[in-house]
Protein backbone atom coordinates (compact mmCIF):
# COMPACT_ATOMS: atom_id res chain seq x y z
CA UNK A 1 0.00 0.00 0.00
CA UNK A 2 1.26 3.46 -0.88
CA UNK A 3 2.26 5.79 1.91
CA UNK A 4 0.61 9.17 2.39
CA UNK A 5 3.54 10.98 0.81
CA UNK A 6 3.50 8.64 -2.20
CA UNK A 7 -0.20 9.23 -2.70
CA UNK A 8 0.43 12.97 -2.90
CA UNK A 9 3.34 13.45 -5.31
CA UNK A 10 5.45 16.50 -5.93
CA UNK A 11 4.65 17.55 -9.48
CA UNK A 12 7.20 19.31 -11.66
CA UNK A 13 6.14 20.95 -14.92
CA UNK A 14 8.62 20.65 -17.77
CA UNK A 15 8.10 22.44 -21.09
CA UNK A 16 11.71 22.79 -22.21
CA UNK A 17 14.12 19.86 -21.86
CA UNK A 18 16.98 22.28 -21.18
CA UNK A 19 15.29 23.21 -17.90
CA UNK A 20 14.52 19.66 -16.86
CA UNK A 21 17.49 18.92 -14.64
CA UNK A 22 17.27 22.15 -12.64
CA UNK A 23 13.56 21.84 -11.87
CA UNK A 24 13.60 18.07 -11.32
CA UNK A 25 16.40 18.53 -8.78
CA UNK A 26 14.29 20.96 -6.75
CA UNK A 27 11.26 18.67 -6.90
CA UNK A 28 13.49 15.80 -5.82
CA UNK A 29 14.64 17.77 -2.79
CA UNK A 30 11.03 18.26 -1.71
CA UNK A 31 10.09 14.62 -2.26
CA UNK A 32 13.22 13.24 -0.59
CA UNK A 33 12.38 14.89 2.72
CA UNK A 34 9.23 12.78 3.10
CA UNK A 35 10.22 9.68 1.13
CA UNK A 36 7.73 10.86 -1.46
CA UNK A 37 7.69 10.66 -5.23
CA UNK A 38 8.19 13.08 -8.09
CA UNK A 39 5.83 13.13 -11.03
CA UNK A 40 7.08 14.99 -14.08
CA UNK A 41 4.30 16.51 -16.16
CA UNK A 42 4.44 17.74 -19.74
CA UNK A 43 1.30 19.29 -21.23
CA UNK A 44 0.03 18.79 -24.77
CA UNK A 45 -2.09 21.86 -25.54
CA UNK A 46 -5.43 21.42 -27.29
CA UNK A 47 -6.73 24.95 -27.69
CA UNK A 48 -10.35 25.66 -28.55
CA UNK A 49 -9.25 27.21 -31.86
CA UNK A 50 -7.12 24.24 -32.85
CA UNK A 51 -8.45 21.66 -35.34
CA UNK A 52 -7.24 19.06 -32.84
CA UNK A 53 -9.99 20.12 -30.45
CA UNK A 54 -12.31 17.60 -32.09
CA UNK A 55 -9.97 14.74 -31.20
CA UNK A 56 -10.20 12.83 -27.94
CA UNK A 57 -7.39 13.28 -25.44
CA UNK A 58 -6.25 9.71 -26.01
CA UNK A 59 -6.06 10.27 -29.76
CA UNK A 60 -4.05 13.45 -29.29
CA UNK A 61 -1.60 11.70 -26.98
CA UNK A 62 -1.25 8.83 -29.40
CA UNK A 63 -0.75 10.85 -32.58
CA UNK A 64 0.43 14.36 -31.71
CA UNK A 65 2.52 14.22 -28.55
CA UNK A 66 5.93 13.80 -30.14
CA UNK A 67 7.69 16.92 -28.79
CA UNK A 68 6.03 16.65 -25.39
CA UNK A 69 6.97 12.99 -25.11
CA UNK A 70 10.59 13.78 -25.98
CA UNK A 71 10.62 16.48 -23.30
CA UNK A 72 9.15 14.06 -20.77
CA UNK A 73 11.68 11.36 -21.64
CA UNK A 74 14.57 13.81 -21.30
CA UNK A 75 13.30 15.09 -17.97
CA UNK A 76 12.89 11.60 -16.58
CA UNK A 77 16.40 10.65 -17.65
CA UNK A 78 18.06 13.55 -15.79
CA UNK A 79 15.90 13.41 -12.65
CA UNK A 80 17.53 12.48 -9.31
CA UNK A 81 18.12 8.75 -9.07
CA UNK A 82 17.57 8.47 -5.32
CA UNK A 83 13.84 9.30 -5.46
CA UNK A 84 11.03 7.59 -7.31
CA UNK A 85 10.26 9.51 -10.50
CA UNK A 86 7.38 8.97 -12.89
CA UNK A 87 6.30 10.90 -15.97
CA UNK A 88 2.96 11.75 -17.49
CA UNK A 89 1.63 13.57 -20.52
CA UNK A 90 -1.48 15.65 -19.92
CA UNK A 91 -3.83 17.21 -22.44
CA UNK A 92 -5.26 20.65 -21.67
CA UNK A 93 -6.75 23.68 -23.37
CA UNK A 94 -3.69 25.53 -22.05
CA UNK A 95 -0.58 24.62 -20.08
CA UNK A 96 -2.13 25.97 -16.88
CA UNK A 97 -5.36 24.00 -17.47
CA UNK A 98 -3.37 20.81 -17.95
CA UNK A 99 -1.36 21.36 -14.78
CA UNK A 100 -4.43 22.24 -12.73
CA UNK A 101 -6.03 19.02 -13.94
CA UNK A 102 -2.94 17.05 -12.92
CA UNK A 103 -2.92 18.67 -9.48
CA UNK A 104 -6.57 17.81 -8.91
CA UNK A 105 -6.27 14.24 -10.13
CA UNK A 106 -3.16 13.41 -8.09
CA UNK A 107 -3.95 15.54 -5.03
CA UNK A 108 -0.42 16.87 -5.37
CA UNK A 109 1.42 18.18 -2.33
CA UNK A 110 3.34 20.71 -4.38
CA UNK A 111 4.08 21.91 -7.89
CA UNK A 112 7.50 23.11 -9.07
CA UNK A 113 7.55 25.33 -12.14
CA UNK A 114 10.13 27.46 -13.90
CA UNK A 115 10.19 31.21 -14.42
CA UNK A 116 12.26 32.82 -17.14
CA UNK A 117 12.97 36.42 -16.19
CA UNK A 118 12.13 38.86 -18.95
CA UNK A 119 12.34 42.61 -18.67
CA UNK A 120 9.91 44.96 -20.30
CA UNK A 121 6.38 46.18 -19.85
CA UNK A 122 3.79 43.47 -19.58
CA UNK A 123 0.52 42.85 -17.81
CA UNK A 124 1.72 39.40 -16.80
CA UNK A 125 4.05 39.23 -13.84
CA UNK A 126 5.78 35.96 -14.61
CA UNK A 127 3.86 34.95 -17.70
CA UNK A 128 0.26 33.96 -18.25
CA UNK A 129 0.75 30.33 -17.25
CA UNK A 130 2.59 31.03 -14.00
CA UNK A 131 0.26 33.88 -13.06
CA UNK A 132 -2.77 31.66 -13.40
CA UNK A 133 -1.16 28.92 -11.32
CA UNK A 134 -0.24 31.44 -8.62
CA UNK A 135 -3.87 32.40 -8.48
CA UNK A 136 -5.52 28.99 -8.71
CA UNK A 137 -3.23 26.04 -7.90
CA UNK A 138 -4.60 24.46 -4.68
CA UNK A 139 -1.23 23.12 -3.53
CA UNK A 140 2.06 24.61 -2.42
CA UNK A 141 3.69 26.26 -5.42
CA UNK A 142 7.40 26.81 -5.99
CA UNK A 143 8.53 29.08 -8.82
CA UNK A 144 12.23 28.80 -9.59
CA UNK A 145 14.06 31.26 -11.79
CA UNK A 146 15.44 29.40 -14.77
CA UNK A 147 19.10 29.68 -15.65
CA UNK A 148 20.44 30.93 -12.31
CA UNK A 149 21.71 27.81 -10.56
CA UNK A 150 23.99 27.70 -7.57
CA UNK A 151 27.33 26.01 -8.23
CA UNK A 152 27.21 24.15 -4.96
CA UNK A 153 25.19 25.28 -1.96
CA UNK A 154 26.68 26.20 1.38
CA UNK A 155 23.99 28.57 2.60
CA UNK A 156 20.30 29.21 1.93
CA UNK A 157 18.93 32.65 2.80
CA UNK A 158 15.40 32.82 4.17
CA UNK A 159 14.21 36.43 4.71
CA UNK A 160 11.07 36.46 6.85
CA UNK A 161 8.40 38.91 7.90
CA UNK A 162 5.61 36.58 8.95
CA UNK A 163 2.61 35.39 6.98
CA UNK A 164 1.33 32.05 5.63
CA UNK A 165 4.12 31.60 3.09
CA UNK A 166 6.78 31.07 5.76
CA UNK A 167 5.85 27.38 5.96
CA UNK A 168 6.43 26.46 2.28
CA UNK A 169 9.45 28.75 2.10
CA UNK A 170 10.95 26.99 5.12
CA UNK A 171 10.11 23.62 3.58
CA UNK A 172 12.12 24.18 0.40
CA UNK A 173 14.93 25.97 2.24
CA UNK A 174 15.37 22.99 4.56
CA UNK A 175 15.08 20.46 1.72
CA UNK A 176 17.83 22.15 -0.29
CA UNK A 177 20.03 22.57 2.78
CA UNK A 178 19.62 18.91 3.75
CA UNK A 179 20.75 17.69 0.33
CA UNK A 180 23.79 19.94 0.34
CA UNK A 181 24.71 19.79 4.05
CA UNK A 182 24.18 23.54 4.01
CA UNK A 183 23.03 26.12 6.53
CA UNK A 184 19.71 27.94 6.49
CA UNK A 185 20.13 31.56 7.49
CA UNK A 186 16.95 33.23 8.71
CA UNK A 187 17.07 36.98 8.51
CA UNK A 188 14.62 39.63 9.69
CA UNK A 189 15.00 43.38 9.88
CA UNK A 190 14.21 46.07 12.43
CA UNK A 191 13.61 49.58 11.20
CA UNK A 192 11.76 52.79 11.90
CA UNK A 193 8.42 51.12 11.12
CA UNK A 194 9.19 47.65 12.47
CA UNK A 195 9.96 47.08 16.13
CA UNK A 196 12.27 44.45 17.49
CA UNK A 197 9.47 42.30 18.94
CA UNK A 198 7.83 41.89 15.52
CA UNK A 199 11.12 41.06 13.82
CA UNK A 200 12.06 38.61 16.57
CA UNK A 201 8.67 36.92 16.36
CA UNK A 202 9.15 36.42 12.63
CA UNK A 203 12.42 34.59 13.17
CA UNK A 204 10.94 32.41 15.90
CA UNK A 205 8.05 31.43 13.62
CA UNK A 206 10.51 30.56 10.85
CA UNK A 207 12.62 28.43 13.20
CA UNK A 208 9.51 26.56 14.30
CA UNK A 209 8.50 26.02 10.66
CA UNK A 210 11.94 24.55 9.94
CA UNK A 211 11.72 22.25 12.94
CA UNK A 212 8.27 21.02 11.96
CA UNK A 213 9.23 20.38 8.35
CA UNK A 214 9.97 16.68 7.68
CA UNK A 215 13.50 15.62 6.90
CA UNK A 216 16.87 15.57 8.63
CA UNK A 217 17.83 18.48 10.83
CA UNK A 218 19.95 21.24 9.33
CA UNK A 219 22.13 23.95 10.77
CA UNK A 220 20.21 27.18 11.29
CA UNK A 221 21.50 30.68 11.89
CA UNK A 222 19.36 33.67 12.83
CA UNK A 223 20.26 37.26 12.09
CA UNK A 224 18.46 40.44 13.05
CA UNK A 225 19.46 43.66 11.32
CA UNK A 226 18.68 46.88 13.16
CA UNK A 227 19.21 49.44 10.42
CA UNK A 228 17.39 52.26 8.71
CA UNK A 229 18.26 50.93 5.27
CA UNK A 230 16.39 47.63 5.40
CA UNK A 231 16.73 46.95 1.71
CA UNK A 232 20.47 47.63 1.72
CA UNK A 233 20.97 45.25 4.62
CA UNK A 234 19.14 42.46 2.82
CA UNK A 235 21.00 43.06 -0.42
CA UNK A 236 24.31 42.82 1.41
CA UNK A 237 23.11 39.67 3.15
CA UNK A 238 22.01 38.06 -0.11
CA UNK A 239 25.46 38.47 -1.63
CA UNK A 240 26.91 35.95 0.84
CA UNK A 241 24.43 33.15 0.14
CA UNK A 242 23.86 30.69 -2.70
CA UNK A 243 20.08 30.32 -2.75
CA UNK A 244 17.38 32.84 -1.89
CA UNK A 245 13.91 31.68 -0.89
CA UNK A 246 11.16 34.28 -0.78
CA UNK A 247 7.50 34.24 0.16
CA UNK A 248 4.82 36.89 0.46
CA UNK A 249 4.67 38.99 3.63
CA UNK A 250 2.12 40.61 5.85
CA UNK A 251 0.54 43.94 5.13
CA UNK A 252 2.16 46.98 6.72
CA UNK A 253 5.36 48.94 6.53
CA UNK A 254 7.68 45.94 6.38
CA UNK A 255 5.53 44.44 3.62
CA UNK A 256 5.76 47.62 1.60
CA UNK A 257 9.54 47.75 1.90
CA UNK A 258 10.11 44.11 1.08
CA UNK A 259 7.61 43.90 -1.74
CA UNK A 260 8.51 47.26 -3.20
CA UNK A 261 12.30 47.22 -3.23
CA UNK A 262 13.60 43.69 -2.85
CA UNK A 263 12.64 42.65 -6.40
CA UNK A 264 14.45 45.61 -7.93
CA UNK A 265 17.57 45.24 -5.81
CA UNK A 266 17.79 41.50 -5.18
CA UNK A 267 15.63 39.22 -7.34
CA UNK A 268 16.31 41.06 -10.58
CA UNK A 269 19.90 42.01 -9.79
CA UNK A 270 21.46 38.83 -8.53
CA UNK A 271 22.84 35.73 -10.17
CA UNK A 272 21.82 33.61 -7.21
CA UNK A 273 19.26 30.84 -7.42
CA UNK A 274 15.87 32.35 -6.54
CA UNK A 275 12.78 30.40 -5.51
CA UNK A 276 9.41 31.99 -4.75
CA UNK A 277 7.11 30.04 -2.43
CA UNK A 278 3.34 30.32 -2.25
CA UNK A 279 1.25 28.33 0.22
CA UNK A 280 -1.56 26.21 -1.17
CA UNK A 281 -3.94 27.30 1.56
CA UNK A 282 -3.53 30.98 0.59
CA UNK A 283 -4.85 30.77 -2.96
CA UNK A 284 -6.37 33.96 -4.34
CA UNK A 285 -7.31 37.12 -2.46
CA UNK A 286 -4.91 39.71 -1.03
CA UNK A 287 -2.07 37.27 -0.43
CA UNK A 288 -1.96 36.45 -4.14
CA UNK A 289 -1.86 40.12 -4.98
CA UNK A 290 1.06 40.57 -2.58
CA UNK A 291 3.02 37.82 -4.32
CA UNK A 292 2.32 39.36 -7.71
CA UNK A 293 3.90 42.58 -6.50
CA UNK A 294 6.80 40.65 -5.02
CA UNK A 295 7.94 39.46 -8.44
CA UNK A 296 6.92 42.49 -10.48
CA UNK A 297 9.51 43.39 -13.09
CA UNK A 298 10.82 46.94 -12.49
Amino acid sequence: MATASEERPVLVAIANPEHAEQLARTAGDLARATDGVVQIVSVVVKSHESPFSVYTDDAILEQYSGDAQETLDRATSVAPDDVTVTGELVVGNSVSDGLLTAIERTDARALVIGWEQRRGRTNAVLGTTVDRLLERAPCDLYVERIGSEANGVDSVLLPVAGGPHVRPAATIAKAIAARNDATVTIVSVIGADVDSDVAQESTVDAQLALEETPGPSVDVEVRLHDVDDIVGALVDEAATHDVLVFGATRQGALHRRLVGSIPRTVVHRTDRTVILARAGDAVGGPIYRQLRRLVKVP
Side-chain angles (χ1 to χ4, degrees), residues 5-72:
S5 60
E6 289 173 334
E7 292 171 355
R8 302 191 65 203
V10 175
L11 301 186
V12 54
I14 304 294
N16 185 331
E18 294 181 0
H19 307 158
E21 188 169 3
Q22 178 179 352
L23 297 177
R25 183 188 303 116
T26 299
D29 290 344
L30 288 167
R32 189 180 297 108
T34 56
D35 295 324
V37 301
V38 172
Q39 182 167 317
I40 300 172
V41 178
S42 185
V43 178
V44 180
V45 176
K46 178 184 69 173
S47 67
H48 292 297
E49 295 79 14
S50 169
F52 299 137
S53 62
V54 299
Y55 288 75
T56 65
D57 290 356
D58 288 342
I60 291 173
L61 291 177
E62 182 177 349
Q63 300 182 48
Y64 303 105
S65 62
D67 290 344
Q69 184 64 59
E70 290 179 10
T71 297
L72 188 65

Side-chain angles (χ1 to χ4, degrees), residues 158-163 166 187-189 194 198-199 201-203 205-206 247-251 254-255 258:
L158 180 61
V160 294
V166 171
V187 61
S188 190
V189 288
V194 182
V198 172
E201 180 184 355
S202 296
T203 64
D205 290 344
T249 64
R250 293 178 182 147
Q251 291 287 358
L254 181 56
H255 158 74
L258 286 173

Side-chain angles (χ1 to χ4, degrees), residues 187-266:
V187 61
S188 190
V189 288
I190 304 166
D193 302 315
V194 182
D195 64 34
S196 59
D197 290 341
V198 172
Q200 181 69 47
E201 180 184 355
S202 296
T203 64
V204 171
D205 290 344
Q207 290 178 79
L208 181 60
L210 286 169
E211 291 174 1
E212 293 179 344
T213 295
S217 61
V218 297
D219 292 334
V220 177
E221 295 182 359
V222 177
R223 298 180 185 174
L224 285 171
H225 293 286
D226 188 354
V227 294
D228 292 331
D229 183 7
I230 295 177
V231 170
L234 290 176
V235 170
D236 291 343
E237 185 75 63
T240 64
H241 300 274
D242 305 297
V243 178
L244 281 67
V245 179
F246 291 103
T249 64
R250 293 178 182 147
Q251 291 287 358
L254 181 56
H255 158 74
R256 288 193 295 271
R257 294 194 182 194
L258 286 173
V259 173
S261 298
I262 286 297
R264 292 191 297 272
T265 55
V266 181

Side-chain angles (χ1 to χ4, degrees), residues 29-183:
D29 290 344
L30 288 167
R32 189 180 297 108
T34 56
D35 295 324
V37 301
V38 172
Q39 182 167 317
I40 300 172
V41 178
S42 185
V43 178
V44 180
V45 176
K46 178 184 69 173
S47 67
H48 292 297
E49 295 79 14
S50 169
F52 299 137
S53 62
V54 299
Y55 288 75
T56 65
D57 290 356
D58 288 342
I60 291 173
L61 291 177
E62 182 177 349
Q63 300 182 48
Y64 303 105
S65 62
D67 290 344
Q69 184 64 59
E70 290 179 10
T71 297
L72 188 65
D73 293 343
R74 167 71 182 279
T76 304
S77 70
V78 298
D81 57 10
D82 61 340
V83 296
T84 300
V85 179
T86 62
E88 181 183 15
L89 292 176
V90 177
V91 177
N93 293 324
S94 66
V95 173
S96 56
D97 282 339
L99 293 175
L100 290 169
T101 297
I103 292 169
E104 181 178 1
R105 186 175 66 252
T106 63
D107 191 23
R109 291 193 298 115
L111 171 66
V112 177
I113 54 178
W115 153 42
E116 289 190 86
Q117 182 176 324
R118 294 186 176 92
R119 296 185 180 274
R121 294 183 178 275
T122 176
N123 291 327
V125 175
L126 298 176
T128 303
T129 296
V130 180
D131 283 356
R132 191 173 184 209
L133 292 169
L134 283 169
E135 186 174 13
R136 296 186 56 189
C139 64
D140 289 350
L141 182 64
Y142 297 94
V143 185
E144 181 168 356
R145 185 171 63 180
I146 291 297
S148 297
E149 293 185 78
N151 183 19
V153 178
D154 294 318
S155 182
V156 180
L157 180 62
L158 180 61
V160 294
H165 301 287
V166 171
R167 177 190 56 76
T171 298
I172 188 62
K174 182 176 181 179
I176 293 172
R179 172 170 60 88
N180 293 277
D181 194 23
T183 298

